[in-house]
Every structure is written in structure tokens, then in C-alpha cells.
Amino acid sequence: MSSYPIDSTNWRYGLSMPEFIESMGQHQQAMRSRYSRIRLSPVECEGFTRLKKRISIAVMTEEWCTDCLMNLPVIARIADAASQMELKIFIRKDWPDLRAYYTEQNIPSIPVATFLDENFEVLSTWIERPQAAHRRLQAWKAAHPEVEEIRRRSDLTSEEKKLLLKEINERLLVEMESWYDNGLQSETIGEVADLLGVKL
């Protein structure tokens, strides 16, 4: 098994949350807005500040990723809550070694957040979205069979499919934000807390 490809030498080449937002071409305004308004509760903040060890959070993602838009601001706020935690973002297309590492771990999804100790050894990894979001998304797909029908149509070009799906995906994005505002944000925070042994 390969060792984790991010170490103390190349860690500095990762992007901070503000740097990542500035670099974005897609979803930039939405990401800036979500990051500015997401807050951890006092209990959640206190839980993460009780962590005594230094933790580096390496997130591999791409700017177009909807799950990144939903969850990266939450993970960034977890890092903001504790002075001993630091977040860096690594764009998947720019880091082939990192992508290869996750492929070897059978992790094809993004965003993927890996929590590292002071020696850049892997403590745990959180993948894509909270489990409750998987269930919500499955229910949404079952209620919108037209999405899969459009994708399967052989009489349409990929560009025509993209245009037909654009409005549907925009509506889904609005729905997803409401899911996170009404419970899923806490699910993400809770899963990360469990991975790090934090009691909330």
C-alpha cells in the first residue's frame, strides 16, 4: 500500500479556503456565500477545541463538485474552530499522485478529506457526503426518473443532455442547500467528530 503523498514538504502547496475560493471559476459566488454563513454551534466549537494534538486536513476536490460546495465550507469551519487544525485543498487534476493514492484505496469520490497527525500519517478519511445525504439523494433520484431517462437517450448529443439537465441540477442544488441547512450540516460535523474521537 502506498504511503500518503502529502507530507510536510508539499503541504505548503495546498490552497487555503480563501485561496481556493479565489481560484474558482464555477460555483465561486455560491461557495463564498456558503462559507461566510456557515457556523458551528458553541457545543461543536468547544468539542473540536478540546483536541490537543495537531491535525492537518487535506481535502482533494474539484471546483465543479456539488458535494464540495455543500461540505467543504463545513469542514473548513471545523478547521477554523480549533487553532491546532489546519486545512489545505488540493485540486484533483493538479495532483495525480494524490488521485492515484485514493484510487488505490478504492475511493473514487470527491471531496475526500484525510486527517493527518503531526507526522503526516493518516488518522482517518471522510468521503464525499454524510450518510444521511446519500439517503436524501437516493430519494430525490427516485422522485425524478426523468434525470436517468435524459442520460440514457441515444437521440441526444452530450451537449443537448447537458442543457436539459442544467435546470434540473440547478433546482437540485437549491434543494440540497436546504437539506444541509436543516440537518445535514450537523450530520457532516458529527461524522468528522466521530472519526477524530471528539465528543459533542
Side-chain angles (χ1 to χ4, degrees):
M1 186 181 293
S2 301
S3 60
Y4 195 71
I6 301 300
D7 56 22
S8 58
T9 302
N10 56 21
W11 173 255
R12 59 198 172 102
Y13 295 112
L15 301 174
S16 67
M17 187 63 180
E19 288 170 342
F20 176 67
I21 293 172
E22 286 307 310
S23 77
M24 294 176 77
Q26 193 172 350
H27 295 320
Q28 185 187 60
Q29 195 50 50
M31 182 69 82
R32 183 178 283 118
S33 174
R34 278 186 62 72
Y35 182 52
S36 69
R37 63 188 174 82
I38 283 176
R39 294 287 182 273
L40 270 63
S41 72
V43 169
E44 290 164 345
C45 284
E46 184 184 348
F48 288 107
T49 56
R50 284 199 300 268
L51 278 171
K52 299 305 177 189
K53 55 192 175 187
R54 175 171 174 75
I55 294 177
S56 299
I57 310 172
V59 176
M60 185 182 77
T61 193
E62 297 276 6
E63 64 175 39
W64 48 260
C65 175
T66 304
D67 287 299
C68 172
L69 177 59
M70 294 300 122
N71 290 291
L72 180 58
V74 181
I75 294 169
R77 286 303 182 196
I78 290 171
D80 293 342
S83 60
Q84 72 277 25
M85 298 176 79
E86 185 181 15
L87 171 78
K88 291 282 189 176
I89 299 151
F90 298 86
I91 310 301
R92 181 170 64 176
K93 65 181 174 59
D94 298 333
W95 291 85
D97 289 352
L98 193 57
R99 183 173 190 165
Y101 169 85
Y102 287 121
T103 299
E104 189 179 281
Q105 306 298 310
N106 197 28
I107 301 173
S109 306
I110 54 173
V112 52
T114 294
F115 300 87
L116 307 162
D117 67 15
E118 64 275 12
N119 297 314
F120 288 84
E121 296 293 331
V122 175
L123 295 169
S124 56
T125 298
W126 184 88
I127 305 164
E128 191 178 25
R129 62 175 77 105
Q131 290 304 307
H134 283 286
R135 295 190 290 273
R136 290 295 292 270
L137 202 53
Q138 284 171 351
W140 183 90
K141 286 177 178 176
H144 294 82
E146 68 273 18
V147 173
E148 201 53 43
E149 288 166 10
I150 290 168
R151 286 183 176 145
R152 289 179 177 173
R153 282 180 61 180
S154 57
D155 61 319
L156 297 174
T157 66
S158 58
E159 195 58 37
E160 286 169 333
K161 289 178 185 180
K162 192 174 177 181
L163 285 170
L164 285 171
L165 291 169
K166 186 173 185 290
E167 186 181 340
I168 298 170
N169 288 333
E170 285 172 354
R171 291 202 307 269
L172 172 59
L173 200 59
V174 171
E175 284 192 51
M176 287 180 77
E177 285 210 71
S178 72
W179 300 347
Y180 279 86
D181 290 344
N182 293 284
L184 289 189
Q185 174 179 316
S186 297
E187 294 286 334
T188 298
I189 293 168
E191 288 185 4
V192 171
D194 288 346
L195 286 174
L196 297 177
V198 171
K199 301 289 185 189
L200 299 180

